[in-house]
Amino acid sequence: MTYTFWILLTASLVGISCGIVGVLLILRKMAMLSDAISHTVLLGIISSYLITNSLDGFYMFIGAAIVGVLTTVFVQLLNSAGVQSDAAIGVVFTFLFAIGVILVSMFARDVHIDVEHSIMGEIAFIPWMTVDWFGIEGIPQAVWMLGFVLIIDLFLILLLYKEFKLSSFDPGLAAALGLPVGLLHYVLMGMTSITAVASFDAVGAILVVAMLIAPGATAYLLTERLHMMFILSAVFGVIAAVTGYFIAAWLNASIAGMMATMAGVLFLLAFIFSPTHGIIAKRFSQRKIQQVDIET
Amino acid sequence: MNPITANNITVAYHRKPVLQSVSFEAPEGKLIGIIGPNGAGKSTLLKSILGLVPKASGDVNIYGKTYRKQRQIVGYVPQRGSVDWDFPTSALDVVLMGRYRQIGLFRRPKKNDVKEAMSCLEKVGMEQYANRQISQLSGGQQQRVFLARALAQNAHIYFMDEPFIGVDAATEKAIVQLLSELREQGKTVIVVHHDLQTVKDYFDWVMLLNVRKIAFGPTNETFTSDLLQKTYGGKLTFLDQKEEEGVPFA
């Protein structure tokens, strides 16, 4: 397997898993909460390293999932105590992230998780960091982790498809029907956390938000069916990741930065040219209405 | 047995009571309107019965059992404005949501469920819009989809939160028709309502609510200017004036 193959596979796995989880985040208007989680999982990673003294991906997952869910719990606690929700998110995530940064700088300076790496990611190193799991040699750890996360995300979305759909569209009816609305919320937060931590190595804490939100937001502008939104979002995630890599390699620029930029470019294109939601289509239909007004 | 027995319901937001010690026993097979000024706690009363907002005190029984045990016989139509109509889904899909409890956790809707949902859409005259994306429907059509969804719940008791708000005349007529059909089938329907002019035509019983229950009983006994004055306070004189001028005060 070549170096480029592993990079593209990693990037595509990031695109797909972030893309499908992002659909639910957008429909539930929780984009900012995912921003918070993508940062606070740093605390989960460093905590699991300090407790287990290993950089094993499995412990990182557990740590990240716990801290990610804790983030939403704290936000909700503050919120129900009367703090505005955006202020609650801002306070909780910067506080937990800051603790993570302090712990990294104090105890983990010389290991692989340095602050800059966590924030910016470095996909270019991924093909060399292979592990031998299940007797299979030579597969990068990031690919293993992203593969597992993608399977978990897909499994949960398929299993809970109609539950996620109703609780996103109409939480009131979902609760009245007795669906486990609170549990679904925390399942999604857990999915967001493990997806963020698995994508960390590739794109870093800041840009993973772009991969979580931009492809879903693009798909939202282009389809009127939920299942299609999942598919399109995953496709746009892959396109952003792959084109981003090649353009970055060509310009010798930041790979993660270029992937996020491409995600933004795709969104911009949809925003302008979407046949239903695009600004050109809207202008056109407005002019049509005005013309009808003049004629009648 | 009464379909709904509410004892002493109190609900508070940030220690400010929005509902105080509301008790009532709803009779079976009646169309019941809940009216009162803005902020009187009408929607909150519905939500507290359905367990959607926490009660500071009090309890509710549905045919003598807690709501949790009776979910399958209770249908709910939330306010149309409470959901995002840009959500990527079709009218038929929204109606199918009413059957999610019967379908069960983890399971997918079957052909049978789709058929049932289609027939509910037919009952509200919306079958030709089944595959339409919900944002492309008018306000009245969206409301009818919500009603079809409640029908798909196949309940004995229906709670509807302001179903007449912002709908066209055709939809208003369709809703009234549907309400009387539900009554004929012996179902109990509780409707939060705001248009005082139509109360006498639409409802058999009425509750006058302003944080506390002012009155509850058959419409001809309860919907009196005396009790309305008590419910709306000074605001009603303003409404009376408007009525004299012939302006509807919807």
Side-chain angles (χ1 to χ4, degrees):
Chain A
M1 300 288 183
T2 65
Y3 173 84
T4 315
F5 170 83
W6 287 122
I7 298 243
L8 291 181
L9 182 61
T10 308
S12 303
L13 287 170
V14 169
I16 297 171
S17 30
C18 287
I20 58 174
V21 172
V23 166
L24 290 171
L25 294 171
I26 284 171
L27 292 177
R28 294 168 161 249
K29 307 190 171 31
M30 286 170 27
M32 289 326 289
L33 206 53
S34 71
D35 188 18
I37 286 177
S38 65
H39 283 74
T40 55
V41 289
L42 178 69
L43 178 61
I45 292 173
I46 180 68
S47 303
S48 69
Y49 168 71
L50 292 177
I51 292 167
T52 66
N53 212 11
S54 90
L55 278 175
D56 193 302
F58 177 73
Y59 297 119
M60 282 189 174
F61 270 3
I62 305 285
I66 291 172
V67 175
V69 171
L70 272 182
T71 307
T72 64
V73 172
F74 290 150
V75 168
Q76 253 164 11
L77 280 178
L78 285 183
N79 206 350
S80 56
V83 181
Q84 285 189 351
S85 69
D86 53 348
I89 290 173
V91 169
V92 169
F93 110 67
T94 47
F95 183 72
L96 294 181
F97 181 62
I99 296 176
V101 170
I102 291 170
L103 289 178
V104 170
S105 67
M106 284 171 72
F107 302 111
R109 228 182 258 278
D110 44 353
V111 290
H112 154 71
I113 33 173
D114 56 284
V115 175
E116 194 191 325
H117 186 113
S118 311
I119 297 174
M120 299 305 294
E122 198 40 272
I123 201 169
F125 296 151
I126 278 175
W128 294 311
M129 296 191 298
T130 60
V131 286
D132 303 336
W133 283 354
F134 306 108
I136 305 167
E137 285 175 28
I139 292 180
Q141 185 178 341
V143 171
W144 274 114
M145 282 171 50
L146 282 161
F148 280 133
V149 165
L150 179 58
I151 288 167
I152 293 170
D153 287 346
L154 269 178
F155 174 74
L156 287 171
I157 288 173
L158 288 173
L159 186 71
L160 296 167
Y161 189 80
K162 78 177 196 305
E163 285 76 14
F164 273 132
K165 187 199 271 185
L166 177 55
S167 68
S168 306
F169 174 63
D170 192 345
L173 181 73
L177 289 180
L179 297 192
V181 178
L183 184 68
L184 286 168
H185 174 77
Y186 289 117
V187 167
L188 177 60
M189 290 303 99
M191 284 160 66
T192 308
S193 307
I194 59 170
T195 308
V197 72
S199 309
F200 243 42
D201 276 335
V203 289
I206 295 176
L207 295 176
V208 73
V209 181
M211 298 306 285
L212 277 167
I213 300 306
T218 312
Y220 184 81
L221 295 175
L222 293 171
T223 178
E224 294 169 344
R225 292 292 182 269
L226 182 58
H227 62 99
M228 204 57 201
M229 189 172 162
F230 278 109
I231 294 168
L232 283 180
S233 184
V235 169
F236 291 137
V238 172
I239 292 175
V242 171
T243 57
Y245 169 72
F246 280 115
I247 296 174
W250 174 50
L251 294 175
N252 195 19
S254 154
I255 297 172
M258 195 54 79
M259 286 177 177
T261 304
M262 287 315 294
V265 168
L266 288 176
F267 175 79
L268 195 65
L269 289 175
F271 185 69
I272 297 171
F273 295 110
S274 161
T276 47
H277 294 73
I279 49 175
I280 290 181
K282 277 184 183 161
R283 273 282 161 78
F284 194 67
S285 63
Q286 267 170 5
R287 192 172 292 174
K288 242 181 172 172
I289 291 165
Q290 279 167 357
Q291 270 174 357
V292 173
D293 281 350
I294 294 164
E295 281 162 18
T296 50
Chain B
M1 192 180 289
N2 284 315
I4 306 156
T5 311
N7 284 317
N8 211 16
I9 301 182
T10 297
V11 177
Y13 287 135
H14 301 299
R15 297 196 184 161
K16 192 173 157 264
V18 278
L19 271 186
Q20 200 153 18
S21 316
V22 176
S23 303
F24 68 95
E25 288 185 8
E28 190 168 38
K30 300 277 186 234
L31 301 180
I32 302 166
I34 301 179
I35 59 172
N38 285 335
K42 304 184 294 282
S43 296
T44 307
L45 179 59
L46 289 200
K47 287 181 186 160
S48 66
I49 294 171
L50 298 167
L52 301 178
V53 294
K55 289 185 275 288
S57 72
D59 55 81
V60 179
N61 282 322
I62 307 286
Y63 286 110
K65 290 183 194 156
T66 60
Y67 172 69
R68 275 170 178 279
K69 289 186 180 154
Q70 300 282 40
R71 285 184 209 278
Q72 67 281 359
I73 64 160
V74 177
Y76 176 42
V77 182
Q79 279 185 25
R80 183 163 56 87
S82 69
V83 305
D84 173 15
W85 290 94
D86 282 326
F87 197 89
T89 193
S90 67
L92 181 66
D93 237 17
V94 172
V95 178
L96 266 173
M97 290 175 186
R99 296 187 59 80
Y100 279 9
R101 187 171 173 80
Q102 287 106 301
I103 294 167
L105 204 62
F106 308 136
R107 287 162 206 256
R108 290 294 161 91
K110 303 244 162 51
K111 263 189 190 154
N112 188 21
D113 298 303
V114 177
K115 230 170 108 184
E116 183 70 30
M118 265 317 271
S119 86
C120 291
L121 270 176
E122 268 167 44
K123 283 180 196 155
V124 297
M126 286 289 295
E127 66 276 20
Q128 69 271 39
Y129 298 102
N131 290 314
R132 198 64 80 78
Q133 208 267 332
I134 51 174
S135 68
Q136 294 168 9
L137 303 172
S138 73
Q141 290 170 333
Q142 290 173 346
Q143 188 65 59
R144 282 195 251 172
V145 169
F146 255 24
L147 286 168
R149 185 178 70 175
L151 292 180
Q153 286 182 257
N154 203 6
H156 295 302
I157 306 173
Y158 286 95
F159 292 94
M160 303 185 180
D161 200 344
E162 303 265 22
F164 292 105
I165 256 191
V167 302
D168 51 292
T171 300
E172 177 134 7
K173 230 172 145 184
I175 299 174
V176 172
Q177 170 80 23
L178 192 71
L179 289 179
S180 60
E181 275 169 30
L182 288 172
R183 174 174 48 194
E184 275 164 32
Q185 294 164 18
K187 310 206 164 172
T188 308
V189 187
I190 298 196
V191 180
V192 170
H193 196 61
H194 70 286
D195 180 6
L196 296 180
Q197 279 192 327
T198 50
V199 169
K200 280 186 174 167
D201 300 331
Y202 292 175
F203 302 111
D204 312 318
W205 277 50
V206 66
M207 177 185 291
L208 301 179
L209 188 73
N210 192 351
V211 184
R212 293 166 178 280
K213 182 185 80 178
I214 310 293
F216 182 52
T219 308
N220 51 12
E221 292 169 22
T222 316
F223 196 70
T224 60
S225 54
D226 240 24
L227 288 167
L228 283 170
Q229 184 78 45
K230 223 174 145 191
T231 313
Y232 286 82
K235 284 179 209 161
L236 198 68
T237 42
F238 166 72
L239 293 175
D240 279 344
Q241 272 173 359
K242 272 198 154 177
E243 198 172 25
E244 279 161 23
E245 288 161 13
V247 182
F249 46 84

